[in-house]
Amino acid sequence: AQTVTQSQPEMSVQEAETVTLSCTYDTSESDYYLFWYKQPPSRQMILVIRQEAYKQQNATENRFSVNFQKAAKSFSLKISDSQLGDAAMYFCAYRPGIQGAQKLVFGQGTRLTINP
Amino acid sequence: GAVVSQHPSRVICKSGTSVKIECRSLDFQATTMFWYRQFPKKSLMLMATSNEGSKATYEQGVEKDKFLINHASLTLSTLTVTSAHPEDSSFYICSARAPGGGNQPQHFGDGTRLSIL
């Protein structure tokens, strides 16, 4: 079974600085998708960024980028120029690439605090 | 972007009451929706996969007679917590995957906080 591990329960960063959240996963499959979701205090899950395993290029969305290391099964999230609104729980998630397999497997989450 | 609406956002009721939570995909058809449960400061745990027009697929350890799922249309799935007890108090979240292929992400509702007294 696939597992997702976030080894940092909590992280904090100074506003405008850069922070990296770690995520590792375990799978025997070669085709899959990886996601980072953000859950602010309002509790809604918001998609931050996604990565297809077959793509070597790291995904980027404005201030958010990932470092995808397929061989190491690592998928870290880098937030540049941190803003107060980035404060939230961040969840790394895995989904198989098999057609019809849609279940997401979530990591334990990392609570990110932004210090003004 | 794709929007999923979940209702109600909060429910407080007495023990023994049955509670229905609705999950709607507002601007796309979702043949599959998902129901998660989230305990305080914990991750999301998948409870079941809701399939339009067929029975839901429950994860191991989830009581299907306790958590009834109905997916009667391509835009609506409901989760009914039957005869709820205090241990059922939790945050319940639904999601739906937008159409368009395997790389489409799941879009989540705002969640329902269920408190059983």
Side-chain angles (χ1 to χ4, degrees):
Chain A
Q2 297 92 1
T3 58
V4 177
T5 302
Q6 292 177 249
S7 58
Q8 305 156 316
E10 296 183 352
M11 291 283 285
S12 63
V13 64
Q14 209 67 24
E15 190 177 4
E17 296 296 311
T18 295
V19 64
T20 298
L21 307 184
S22 301
C23 173
T24 58
Y25 57 94
D26 187 24
T27 182
S28 58
E29 301 180 4
S30 59
D31 184 24
Y32 50 87
Y33 304 94
L34 297 165
F35 306 87
W36 277 97
Y37 281 91
K38 167 185 176 180
Q39 188 180 39
S42 65
R43 303 305 294 272
Q44 184 182 22
M45 295 286 284
I46 302 167
L47 177 67
V48 175
I49 199 166
R50 66 185 176 195
Q51 174 83 40
E52 292 90 342
Y54 63 85
K55 290 186 177 179
Q56 292 186 342
Q57 186 174 7
N58 289 324
T60 299
E61 288 287 342
N62 300 314
R63 297 183 295 108
F64 299 88
S65 62
V66 299
N67 183 3
F68 173 47
Q69 301 290 326
K70 192 171 183 179
K73 296 179 182 175
S74 171
F75 183 61
S76 61
L77 173 69
K78 185 172 81 171
I79 306 174
S80 303
D81 186 25
S82 299
Q83 300 176 0
L84 294 178
D86 295 333
M89 280 290 289
Y90 285 81
F91 292 98
C92 178
Y94 166 100
R95 193 182 82 214
I98 301 172
Q99 184 67 25
Q102 304 179 46
K103 293 195 296 187
L104 280 172
V105 178
F106 285 92
Q108 304 91 324
T110 297
R111 182 173 298 281
L112 179 63
T113 301
I114 311 296
N115 300 314
Chain B
V3 178
V4 174
S5 172
Q6 191 171 337
H7 179 80
S9 59
R10 187 178 182 100
V11 179
I12 302 173
C13 57
K14 294 181 179 180
S15 183
T17 306
S18 291
V19 178
K20 180 185 284 188
I21 303 169
E22 294 186 346
C23 181
R24 295 180 185 272
S25 56
L26 297 184
D27 54 0
F28 64 96
Q29 293 183 331
T31 55
T32 303
M33 292 184 177
F34 303 88
W35 288 96
Y36 296 85
R37 182 172 180 176
Q38 186 178 28
F39 292 99
K41 298 184 179 181
K42 297 292 184 182
S43 188
L44 281 71
M45 293 179 54
L46 180 65
M47 298 174 64
T49 302
S50 171
N51 304 298
E52 189 269 335
S54 64
K55 292 182 178 180
T57 304
Y58 289 82
E59 295 300 299
Q60 190 174 9
V62 177
E63 299 176 61
K64 57 183 178 183
D65 294 331
K66 175 75 169 178
F67 300 99
L68 299 179
I69 292 173
N70 184 281
H71 195 152
S73 77
L74 287 171
T75 59
L76 174 64
S77 175
T78 60
L79 168 68
T80 301
V81 184
T82 61
S83 187
H85 288 91
E87 59 267 27
D88 299 322
S89 298
S90 192
F91 192 68
Y92 294 87
I93 309 176
C94 72
S95 73
R97 196 184 82 179
N103 67 340
Q104 293 301 312
Q106 290 184 19
H107 296 275
F108 288 82
D110 289 347
T112 297
R113 181 169 300 285
L114 176 62
S115 300
I116 307 299
L117 305 177

